[in-house]
Amino acid sequence: MRIKPLAERALVLYLFHVMAILKRIRDPIHGLITFDLDDPVDGTAWELINTPEFQRLRRVKQLGVSEFTYPGATHTRFAHSIGVFHLARQLMSVAQRDVPKAQRDEPRERAALLAALLHDLGHGPFSHAFENAEKVRLPKNQYKDHEDWTGDLICQPGGNIRRILKDKFRRNGEVADEIAAMLRGKKQDLYSSVVSSSFDADRLDYLRRDRMMTGSGAGAIDFEWLLDNLRIVDVPANSGEDIEDSDGDTIQAFSFEEKALQAAESFILARFHLYSQVYLHRTTRGIEQMLTAFLLAFSAEASKGARADLPVSVDHPLRVYYANPTPDLDSYIALDDTVVWNALEVSAAKGNGKIQDFADRICSRKILKCVTIDIVNPQEADKARRRYIDENMKDQIGVSVFEDRANLAIYKDPSKETVKPHKRVHIRRDGGKVVDITSLSKPVAALYQEQEILRYYFANESDRVSVLNVTGESHAAT
């Protein structure tokens, strides 16, 4: 039967309307991510994505210098942040399904979803290497990590983020303050756990995205099965209480059904494998050490102002940022990976001293080789080499010898230390009792012991060889 002309016209107008209010982003991990512009949260998210503050994340890589080790790891915090928002909506749908409407806090739901989108807004260039340099060069009361900068960007009175949130939700922009407070962990509840918890949207995205983009075979998770078995349960509000025995106040948290136990184990083990094989890879960490050294040398020279002997112009964003005694937001958000790469390339070609040396090493991928010291199960050689470095190379640390320490702590023992409720992985047993995953999983319990990594990187190969030549016996003899 033929549709009448008026009906045809109405159908066309309807389809045109639907297409106009739906925005789409294709993502290699999640497929098609849609935004319904008629939905208050989706519409706001789309406007936030199109601000200069958010678009800057296109120029900040998710894994910093990991592409030196894994050439495919060139994905950005822009793509990751959109993926986190997409997953936060899926987690929130579980909360909306399991929590009675009368008990739901819709303003907190909205804040959590937008916090998921904006959670990485304040990351600096080459994230962790940049922050390491900031920790060294700045007094403790002036240092800000990316979470502090994110809060500042969201709450900035004249910024686009606060303006959009004020236009959309009125209340003089207080929604911006609520989002920033949530990202800073001011209040722990079911909604904040969507953004930061043992099973949050951030981890769910970066585990899958980083695994795919690095090409690593480690870190696979069964996301669909985990989501299908995700429930809302009541757990003790006091983080020191035992889930099984507590009679005190409770709060709502995510939990898995017992049949998803193995998938939950795999999720936790995926983090362990990616940290040990990707994030803490010795080559990647060595490049980070060189980049930190370059930034420290560059900042020390830039702090001299107009007298600085630098190969970049006085209005170069990196030079402007470091010329200020106290970091400010405007000069900070002018920084991204491309700005630092430009400074590296110019410094490698026209710089001098340590600035030129480290820039050239990075641009030419002249890797610093390291000596790894086993401090968890040390042998005599490990102890002797560490003593040798302490006794003979103390003055070279941070100059030509670089110490790299990292703790690999994936899951804490809730029976021995206080673990916040939302930092635990809960399992609801077939009988209804909710327990910590470690009471059922020996593989997860085996992760209690922290594994500390200690490496020394050497600018001079002769220094590295001299350390390698040290053994327990030879050092004792001297």
Side-chain angles (χ1 to χ4, degrees):
M1 184 178 70
R2 178 172 174 77
I3 301 175
K4 294 181 180 180
L6 285 177
E8 284 184 339
R9 187 178 302 171
L11 179 60
V12 169
L13 289 173
Y14 171 75
L15 292 174
F16 178 80
H17 174 70
V18 169
M19 292 176 66
I21 65 172
L22 280 181
K23 296 296 183 180
R24 304 164 183 82
I25 293 176
R26 287 196 178 275
D27 183 83
I29 308 299
H30 309 297
L32 201 62
I33 300 176
T34 60
F35 295 79
D36 180 355
L37 301 190
D38 275 353
D39 178 83
V41 173
D42 277 16
T44 302
W46 188 256
E47 285 196 38
L48 293 171
I49 287 171
N50 287 287
T51 60
E53 292 93 331
F54 198 92
Q55 290 291 315
R56 169 183 165 274
L57 296 182
R58 290 183 184 274
R59 304 185 299 278
V60 179
K61 289 190 177 72
Q62 173 73 6
L63 291 184
V65 297
S66 285
E67 64 176 303
F68 279 83
T69 309
Y70 303 97
T74 58
H75 54 301
T76 65
R77 292 195 178 273
F78 178 88
H80 164 67
S81 297
I82 293 173
V84 173
F85 175 75
H86 173 70
L87 289 168
R89 291 188 299 190
Q90 292 181 267
L91 294 180
M92 196 63 74
S93 69
V94 174
Q96 293 168 343
R97 179 197 67 200
D98 288 1
V99 178
K101 187 171 179 61
Q103 297 178 21
R104 285 166 49 191
D105 188 335
E106 293 187 1
R108 289 284 288 175
E109 287 182 9
R110 177 181 61 209
L113 292 173
L114 295 176
L117 179 71
L118 301 173
H119 78 287
D120 270 356
L121 200 65
H123 263 286
F126 296 102
S127 303
H128 302 297
F130 182 84
E131 284 193 357
N132 290 339
E134 293 292 89
K135 288 177 184 177
V136 174
R137 81 177 188 91
L138 292 173
K140 191 173 182 179
N141 64 341
Q142 290 184 18
Y143 169 74
K144 290 184 177 183
D145 61 19
H146 67 272
E147 293 172 338
D148 294 323
W149 287 116
T150 295
D152 290 349
L153 271 172
I154 292 171
C155 297
Q156 186 182 22
N160 292 297
I161 307 298
R162 191 180 192 94
R163 174 185 58 77
I164 289 172
L165 293 171
K166 180 179 178 180
D167 291 345
K168 289 288 185 178
F169 304 113
R170 309 302 176 193
R171 298 175 52 207
N172 200 31
E174 286 92 340
V175 174
D177 302 321
E178 293 168 5
I179 292 171
M182 183 174 287
L183 291 173
R184 287 169 171 152
K186 298 293 185 181
K187 177 183 177 182
Q188 294 290 317
D189 60 8
L190 176 64
Y191 305 106
S192 67
S193 70
V194 169
V195 185
S196 178
S197 69
S198 60
F199 187 75
D200 59 35
D202 182 28
R203 292 181 183 182
L204 282 170
D205 185 83
Y206 76 66
L207 287 178
R208 298 162 72 193
R209 191 175 300 275
D210 295 350
R211 178 177 184 269
M212 177 180 180
M213 302 307 289
T214 58
S216 172
I221 64 173
D222 191 349
F223 172 71
E224 286 76 17
W225 187 242
L226 288 170
L227 191 65
D228 190 62
N229 285 278
L230 194 62
R231 304 289 183 268
I232 306 300
V233 299
D234 292 328
V235 298
N238 184 339
S239 57
E241 293 185 47
D242 191 296
I243 296 175
E244 299 182 51
D245 303 327
S246 173
D247 293 322
D249 294 336
T250 62
I251 58 175
Q252 294 174 322
F254 288 111
S255 174
F256 298 107
E257 297 286 78
E258 188 171 4
K259 59 185 176 180
L261 172 62
Q262 290 184 331
E265 285 178 344
S266 296
F267 170 73
I268 296 172
L269 292 171
R271 291 187 65 227
F272 173 79
H273 290 306
L274 278 175
Y275 267 92
S276 58
Q277 296 181 36
V278 175
Y279 307 139
L280 299 179
H281 192 285
R282 63 182 181 181
T283 300
T284 301
R285 299 285 286 190
I287 297 290
E288 287 182 351
Q289 291 290 333
M290 288 195 289
L291 183 54
T292 297
F294 167 79
L295 292 171
L296 287 172
F298 191 99
S299 64
E301 189 64 30
S303 67
K304 298 176 183 178
R307 299 181 295 105
D309 182 14
L310 290 169
V312 298
S313 64
V314 292
D315 59 351
H316 190 281
L318 190 63
R319 182 169 178 172
V320 170
Y321 175 77
Y322 284 136
N324 294 329
T326 303
D328 67 86
L329 187 59
D330 288 339
S331 61
Y332 180 81
I333 61 173
L335 302 180
D336 55 43
D337 290 6
T338 62
V339 166
V340 176
W341 267 120
N342 175 260
L344 284 166
E345 290 168 352
V346 174
S347 297
K350 302 178 181 179
N352 54 64
K354 290 190 293 183
I355 293 174
Q356 191 277 334
D357 180 37
F358 287 114
D360 178 64
R361 287 174 184 265
I362 294 169
C363 291
S364 304
R365 199 182 182 273
K366 297 174 182 176
I367 305 299
L368 295 183
K369 294 184 178 180
C370 70
V371 172
T372 300
I373 307 292
D374 189 337
I375 57 177
V376 177
N377 299 294
Q379 301 184 66
E380 285 304 312
D382 295 304
K383 298 176 184 177
R385 287 167 180 170
R386 193 172 181 185
R387 286 196 301 269
Y388 180 85
I389 292 170
D390 289 342
E391 293 168 4
N392 298 280
M393 299 181 172
K394 189 175 182 180
D395 294 339
Q396 294 172 250
I397 301 295
V399 180
S400 62
V401 179
F402 303 93
E403 183 183 82
D404 178 36
R405 284 178 175 269
N407 286 318
L408 186 55
I410 300 299
Y411 202 85
K412 295 183 178 180
D413 186 349
S415 67
K416 294 182 180 179
E417 58 184 307
T418 298
V419 182
K420 294 180 179 179
H422 292 108
K423 294 298 182 182
R424 301 166 77 168
V425 172
H426 308 295
I427 302 293
R428 185 168 71 180
R429 306 209 64 182
D430 293 340
K433 180 181 288 187
V434 178
V435 299
D436 187 281
I437 190 173
T438 52
S439 67
L440 302 175
S441 171
K442 290 184 179 180
V444 175
L447 296 175
Y448 282 160
Q449 183 179 0
E450 289 190 8
Q451 298 185 37
E452 187 174 5
I453 295 171
L454 176 60
R455 300 185 183 112
Y456 289 94
Y457 291 86
F458 299 87
N460 301 315
E461 177 63 11
S462 59
D463 288 339
R464 189 179 78 94
V465 172
S466 67
V467 172
L468 286 174
N469 286 335
V470 174
T471 65
E473 293 181 359
S474 63
H475 190 67
T478 60

